[in-house]
Amino acid sequence: MRFELLKKSGEARNTILHLTHGDVETPVFMPVGTNGAVKMCTHDCVKKAGSQIVLANAFHLYLRPGLDVLNSFGGLHKFASWDIPILTDSGGFQVFSLSKHVKVDDEGVTFRSPLDGSIHRFTPQKVVEIQETIGSDIAMVLDECLAPGNDAKATEKSLKRTTKWAEKALELHTRQDQALFGITQGGFFKDTRIVSTREITSMPFDGFGIGGLSVGETFEKTVEMLDVIMPLMPENKPRYLMGVGDPVLMLEAIERGVDMMDCVLPTRLARHGAVFTSHGRLNIKSAVYALDDSPLDPECDCEVCQNYSRGYIHHLFKKKESTAMMFATYHNIYFLHKLMEKTRNAIKNGEFSEFKKDFLKKFTSNNVKQMALERGESK
Ligand SMILES: [Zn+2]
């Protein structure tokens, strides 16, 4: 992987990652296709919405279809007919959040599959192997994801493991056409965050993920931790904030030097009828939109907003037509990609902070009014 830092506006960065399956210009949002497909969005739609790279998940793909299938097809790009870059999450987060009977030791983690209860073991080596079989453009190391609420002592102990596992992964990674990213952890303590960021970024990874944030803590806490972590990040490597897809937090992260982000939020919200607009979020299932002939977001130039009304999409949601979810998903992905494109342009013009201020002023202005309307509390 080759990495270029093109331009900075304050700490916000415009960079390019040259990956095996194509270039990715940042700041970038990466839609999540856990099982090799983005929910309610065909590959064509994902690309048309402006996606440069998609995420897949090593944990889920390892359990099903399994490595034999992926191997026989020659990797996920061929199996799923994806021709754009893929980043695979190591599955650390999923092992700790979805599996039962999780037992972690210094060498790895043993767990029962949430699918059929079978016993599996992930080690740093195994997770590298899985991702080399998948053949993603960017692989992530196995890390221990502590649930929020752990004290400083438990966090410190867990960090030692994460650092040791990172060293192991580096040692065992062989694919030259695949970038390998380390992951910094450290819970919600400044000291442990500093230790982890220093340790992980001192290793020769191609880039660095920031893990363990956006796991249920407050907005202020996430930002506080980013303020501690980001100044310690090396300038010449990409920085990936894992699990963030809220427009407001995305801009806060970019302002502090984050390059890449992913999240299930925009696609999950869409399936529940919640869509992003330039004036904040709205829920199209609310009765106030039944007779509304304006598009989801009057300022959006996506295909859905160019062709269909809120009233029609409201009706489709009411009738549980899957087209409703497809429309909302496409629009939400498009909205975030457009936001990232505007952000990149603002950075190129050296105007990031003005851009952020203008966007947030509008995006947060109508939210309260809109939500009240939807709840029928305001006339
Ligand atoms: Zn749209």
Side-chain angles (χ1 to χ4, degrees):
M1 187 199 82
R2 207 156 56 76
F3 176 71
E4 283 179 274
L5 174 56
L6 302 177
K7 177 93 190 172
K8 279 179 82 175
S9 173
E11 287 306 310
R13 295 147 47 105
N14 173 221
T15 78
I16 292 196
L17 284 75
H18 301 281
L19 300 165
T20 303
H21 291 87
D23 292 349
V24 173
E25 192 182 349
T26 77
V28 68
F29 172 73
M30 307 181 283
V32 180
T34 304
N35 296 303
V38 176
K39 287 185 171 54
M40 287 293 160
C41 206
T42 63
H43 294 9
D44 264 0
C45 282
V46 171
K47 282 204 274 181
K48 229 157 99 190
S51 307
Q52 306 179 60
I53 175 169
V54 284
L55 228 86
N57 191 281
F59 170 81
H60 289 285
L61 290 170
Y62 158 81
L63 291 176
R64 196 169 286 160
L67 297 189
D68 289 346
V69 172
L70 288 163
N71 231 335
S72 84
F73 276 86
L76 183 60
H77 278 98
K78 286 186 185 144
F79 180 55
S81 295
W82 274 118
D83 57 4
I84 61 173
I86 297 174
L87 180 150
T88 37
D89 193 359
S90 66
F93 180 76
Q94 285 71 24
V95 168
F96 291 97
S97 59
L98 298 177
S99 306
K100 291 184 184 115
H101 306 288
V102 179
K103 279 206 187 94
V104 57
D105 56 70
D106 288 345
E107 312 308 319
V109 53
T110 306
F111 60 95
R112 278 187 187 274
S113 159
L115 297 180
D116 58 10
S118 54
I119 295 174
H120 301 268
R121 183 161 169 82
F122 272 10
T123 59
Q125 177 176 20
K126 180 76 188 171
V127 165
V128 163
E129 265 173 42
I130 295 170
Q131 292 176 94
E132 290 196 341
T133 304
I134 292 171
S136 46
D137 296 73
I138 302 174
M140 305 296 298
V141 297
L142 179 67
D143 56 338
E144 183 177 7
C145 300
L146 276 187
N150 272 282
D151 61 15
K153 212 174 155 197
T155 306
E156 223 170 275
K157 194 177 161 202
S158 156
L159 268 194
K160 289 206 173 99
R161 242 173 224 154
T162 289
T163 302
K164 209 176 129 193
W165 291 357
E167 282 164 358
K168 262 257 141 56
L170 255 182
E171 225 177 275
L172 300 162
H173 184 250
T174 59
R175 267 187 92 143
Q176 292 300 312
D177 59 350
Q178 181 180 60
L180 183 67
F181 281 25
I183 303 177
T184 68
Q185 286 283 348
F188 297 102
F189 307 97
K190 286 184 183 175
D191 292 352
T192 44
R193 276 284 165 188
I194 291 170
V195 169
S196 178
T197 307
R198 288 213 168 114
E199 280 177 356
I200 300 291
T201 58
S202 72
M203 297 181 212
F205 285 109
D206 297 303
F208 299 101
I210 300 156
L213 290 182
S214 196
V215 290
E217 77 280 13
T218 62
F219 176 87
E220 290 73 21
K221 195 75 193 170
T222 318
V223 173
E224 187 193 326
M225 289 298 114
L226 286 176
D227 280 334
V228 174
I229 300 160
M230 294 312 295
L232 303 173
M233 285 280 177
E235 186 95 347
N236 61 346
K237 301 271 172 84
R239 301 117 169 226
Y240 161 31
L241 176 59
M242 306 174 79
V244 168
D246 164 64
V248 180
L249 190 51
M250 286 172 83
L251 291 184
E252 293 296 336
I254 291 167
E255 186 168 46
R256 288 159 177 80
V258 165
D259 304 313
M260 310 159 71
M261 283 164 278
D262 79 287
C263 194
V264 294
L265 182 85
T267 43
R268 182 176 289 164
L269 282 177
R271 296 198 298 282
H272 290 95
V275 293
F276 296 130
T277 82
S278 310
H279 293 272
R281 219 159 90 182
L282 63 80
N283 196 317
I284 199 66
K285 290 203 279 193
S286 161
V288 295
Y289 302 114
L291 296 174
D292 195 335
D293 65 356
S294 55
L296 290 177
D297 178 7
E299 290 173 37
C300 176
D301 60 357
C302 88
E303 254 183 62
V304 173
C305 292
Q306 293 305 302
N307 290 299
Y308 307 103
S309 66
R310 289 177 177 177
Y312 176 56
I313 297 171
H314 167 84
H315 154 73
L316 293 179
F317 264 106
K318 283 287 154 192
K319 293 302 294 178
K320 298 192 166 53
E321 289 286 346
S322 42
T323 307
M325 292 194 252
M326 290 161 72
F327 281 166
T329 299
Y330 182 80
H331 165 80
N332 273 0
I333 297 177
Y334 186 95
F335 182 90
L336 287 188
H337 288 327
K338 208 69 191 178
L339 173 61
M340 291 300 100
E341 190 189 313
K342 289 178 194 159
T343 304
R344 291 193 293 269
N345 288 335
I347 296 171
K348 285 175 197 171
N349 295 329
E351 296 163 348
F352 174 76
S353 61
E354 293 88 338
F355 167 78
K356 181 191 164 214
K357 213 171 102 197
D358 291 346
F359 174 84
L360 290 183
K361 197 174 160 200
K362 217 154 94 180
F363 189 76
T364 51
S365 64
N366 252 359
N367 249 1
V368 176
K369 206 173 113 202
Q370 197 97 32
M371 303 256 174
L373 256 177
E374 287 171 11
R375 286 196 303 266
E377 290 168 6
S378 165
K379 287 271 145 42

